[in-house]
Amino acid sequence: MNPPSTHYARSGELAIAYQVHGSGDNDLLLSVGSASNIATMWDLPEGARLLDRLGQFARVIRYDRRDSGLSDPIKAT
């Protein structure tokens, strides 16, 4: 499976990266943690296989938290 496109949602001044793939009657929100990067999991054969299987029965929504992965860093004040 090809990785889905990365989109960005606004949270105040920050952009939060997210991806959506799969289909099904259920939505599955995956929050991997503070050290996530939604793009790199597709580069790992095991990760891509897991995401592909999850997408067979649910619409999978994944995101990078603020200051991690593809989301904007928090600016120090």
Side-chain angles (χ1 to χ4, degrees):
M1 174 177 187
N2 291 326
S5 299
T6 300
H7 302 277
Y8 294 88
R10 302 299 305 173
S11 175
E13 295 182 4
L14 300 175
I16 305 299
Y18 71 94
Q19 293 179 344
V20 179
H21 80 278
S23 60
D25 295 333
N26 299 303
D27 288 342
L28 177 62
L29 178 63
L30 289 180
S31 176
V32 179
S34 60
S36 73
N37 185 316
I38 56 176
T40 59
M41 191 160 177
W42 292 102
D43 296 335
L44 304 170
E46 299 85 1
R49 190 169 42 252
L50 171 65
L51 293 174
D52 184 48
R53 286 187 179 180
L54 291 174
Q56 292 175 8
F57 69 87
R59 184 173 73 137
V60 181
I61 305 158
R62 300 174 48 242
Y63 68 97
D64 284 335
R65 295 179 181 197
R66 295 180 293 169
D67 207 30
S68 69
L70 301 176
S71 292
D72 285 346
I74 299 172
K75 297 176 184 173
T77 56

